[in-house]
Amino acid sequence: MKWHIIFAAFAAFLLMTYAEEEEAARLLVSKQLLNKYLVENMDIVIKYTVYNVGNAAALEVEITDNSFHPDHFTHVSGELNARIDRVPPYTNVSHIVVVRPRKFGYFNFTSAEVLYRHKEDAGSLQFAASSEPGEAIIVSFRDYDKQFSSHVIDWAAFAVMTLPSLAIPFALWYSSKSKYEKLLKPTRKH
Amino acid sequence: MMNRFIIFSILIICGVSEIFAETCQKPEVIASAYVTEDATILTNVAFTTQFVLKCSNGVKGITLYAEVDGKSLPAARLSSDNKYQVSWTEDVKKARSGDYNIKLYDDERYAAIRKALRNGEDPNSVKPLVVVVLNNPGIYRGPWINSELLAVLLAALVSYSAFSSKFKLLA
């Protein structure tokens, strides 16, 4: 029984050393939305992070995201197709794109595609898909504004509306006060 | 809209002394940048800059590395010729306003920096190929005082002055 365990451990060790000897890049790609809320016509920040967990540098890493159709999104900054020449082993690099949704409602954020060369002399390109942020709701700007705007105009309107009920009595009182003070002044002199 | 594209004037620092076929001579950069200034709905502020690199000797497709505030970033190559993008994010609370200097290095200079770091020398001794300046005018995180609070304060002030003058008259 003991021999079995020792043998298995030895086999595992051999496998590990073999795996270590095989030098190749392995990429994990994440796609994140860095927003608290998704709002129509406001910035959405998308961050693509490429982690190289392999033991060789990944070359010609090309990130392509076709999930933002121009009918649904305006492109603000950052390009949806980018190439990073080299991702060294055990490091990560990121790429950022800013878009604005044109419409509100549910939207399914799907994955981006990544093509890379996992070895210096690799004949074919390796394909990888990023994580999917999934379905999210894009709030209409009207609803967002209703909830989060500072409502300065609303309160200013309120102030204007309450002004007559405050100003008219004050004006009446002030006019009578100044009238009586005028009458009082000559009597004091005597 | 508060957000807009800003075209930047470019600082060119070129320390071209060696003559190599692959190095970019007299680099010139035309850059545009975007900062998500309205951070009310964001968790991180995004800084992106895109630029076209022009070399007097017509070198194309070189690998560029960027360094911003001590962070090293690779410059991503974009679809069109000699166009690059450098982008990063910062936490909304930590993002500072003002100018960010994006120092760009080519392969050779970047290797020199890493060598300097390994040997414990000052990496600033290596001159960057080009410096692109990105200006962050300041990030909007929402109003600093609630309008509701302001309205309550104003109402309290008005009623206080009214009541105090009334009691003064009656006394």
Side-chain angles (χ1 to χ4, degrees):
Chain A
M1 198 59 190
K2 238 180 187 178
W3 284 106
H4 275 273
I5 295 165
I6 290 165
F7 183 72
F10 184 67
F13 178 68
L14 269 182
L15 252 166
M16 258 172 67
T17 48
Y18 177 73
E20 263 174 29
E21 269 167 25
E22 195 196 24
E23 283 211 342
R26 278 162 190 278
L27 297 189
L28 301 177
V29 187
S30 84
K31 175 178 170 180
Q32 286 170 287
L33 304 181
L34 302 177
N35 279 55
K36 280 186 261 181
Y37 308 102
L38 305 175
V39 185
E40 181 194 6
N41 268 325
M42 284 179 87
D43 292 342
I44 293 180
V45 177
I46 302 131
K47 186 180 187 181
Y48 304 93
T49 315
V50 177
Y51 303 91
N52 187 359
V53 292
N55 49 10
L59 305 163
E60 292 166 36
V61 180
E62 189 166 359
I63 304 167
T64 314
D65 196 341
N66 297 321
S67 63
F68 298 104
H69 196 270
D71 282 352
H72 293 90
F73 291 92
T74 35
H75 171 246
V76 180
S77 183
E79 251 174 68
L80 292 164
N81 182 299
R83 208 174 83 191
I84 297 151
D85 289 328
R86 202 182 121 93
V87 181
Y90 310 113
T91 53
N92 54 359
V93 295
S94 61
H95 177 70
I96 288 136
V97 175
V98 182
V99 294
R100 280 184 192 165
R102 287 176 196 269
K103 295 166 186 169
F104 57 90
Y106 283 97
F107 187 82
N108 191 12
F109 291 92
T110 53
S111 62
E113 292 159 13
V114 174
L115 284 171
Y116 65 99
R117 210 179 277 279
H118 65 103
K119 271 185 213 170
E120 194 105 27
D121 53 353
S124 60
L125 292 175
Q126 193 83 14
F127 174 83
S130 78
S131 61
E132 287 183 30
E135 199 172 62
I137 188 161
I138 297 165
V139 185
S140 74
F141 187 77
R142 242 179 88 96
D143 289 348
Y144 166 77
D145 199 45
K146 239 186 235 172
Q147 211 172 341
F148 292 102
S149 84
S150 52
H151 301 287
V152 171
I153 294 165
D154 311 31
W155 281 108
F158 177 75
V160 168
M161 278 190 272
T162 53
L163 206 64
S165 62
L166 288 170
I168 292 166
F170 177 77
L172 287 172
W173 168 77
Y174 190 77
S175 68
S176 65
K177 183 199 168 200
S178 51
K179 210 191 320 184
Y180 279 103
E181 271 173 359
K182 249 185 216 167
L183 284 173
L184 266 170
K185 266 179 193 168
T187 51
R188 252 187 209 168
K189 273 183 184 174
H190 284 288
Chain B
M1 272 285 125
M2 276 189 54
N3 303 314
R4 69 221 129 89
F5 270 99
I6 314 153
I7 308 294
F8 286 95
S9 60
I10 304 311
L11 268 175
I12 299 164
I13 301 171
C14 60
V16 197
S17 52
E18 315 105 303
I19 298 158
F20 279 107
E22 280 174 11
T23 52
C24 181
Q25 310 254 318
K26 289 181 190 162
E28 256 180 72
V29 160
I30 302 158
S32 68
Y34 182 76
V35 180
T36 51
E37 284 167 36
D38 190 348
T40 44
I41 59 162
L42 301 175
T43 57
N44 288 62
V45 182
F47 298 85
T48 61
T49 172
Q50 284 170 308
F51 55 89
V52 177
L53 182 74
K54 271 186 196 162
C55 306
S56 67
N57 55 347
V59 171
K60 274 179 186 177
I62 55 167
T63 306
L64 285 183
Y65 300 89
E67 196 233 286
V68 187
D69 287 352
K71 273 184 293 187
S72 74
L73 310 154
R77 264 200 264 171
L78 304 179
S79 43
S80 47
D81 249 6
N82 265 9
K83 198 170 180 194
Y84 298 84
Q85 176 180 340
V86 175
S87 51
W88 72 96
T89 55
E90 254 168 69
D91 198 271
V92 171
K93 281 173 193 156
K94 287 176 192 155
R96 64 173 174 87
S97 59
D99 284 349
Y100 284 80
N101 286 331
I102 304 164
K103 295 174 195 161
L104 297 168
Y105 301 94
D106 56 7
D107 257 333
E108 204 178 295
R109 288 184 173 86
Y110 192 65
I113 282 185
R114 277 188 300 181
K115 197 180 163 193
L117 280 174
R118 262 204 309 275
N119 300 338
E121 289 160 21
D122 184 22
N124 290 329
S125 59
V126 181
K127 270 192 179 173
L129 188 69
V130 170
V131 176
V132 176
V133 181
L134 189 155
N135 179 44
N136 174 12
I139 281 143
Y140 179 71
R141 291 192 201 106
W144 54 270
I145 186 160
N146 263 340
S147 56
E148 292 96 296
L149 194 71
L150 196 73
V152 167
L153 285 177
L154 270 176
L157 199 78
V158 167
S159 47
Y160 172 74
S161 59
F163 278 106
S164 64
S165 57
K166 184 194 164 193
F167 287 124
K168 220 189 274 172
L169 283 174
L170 289 177

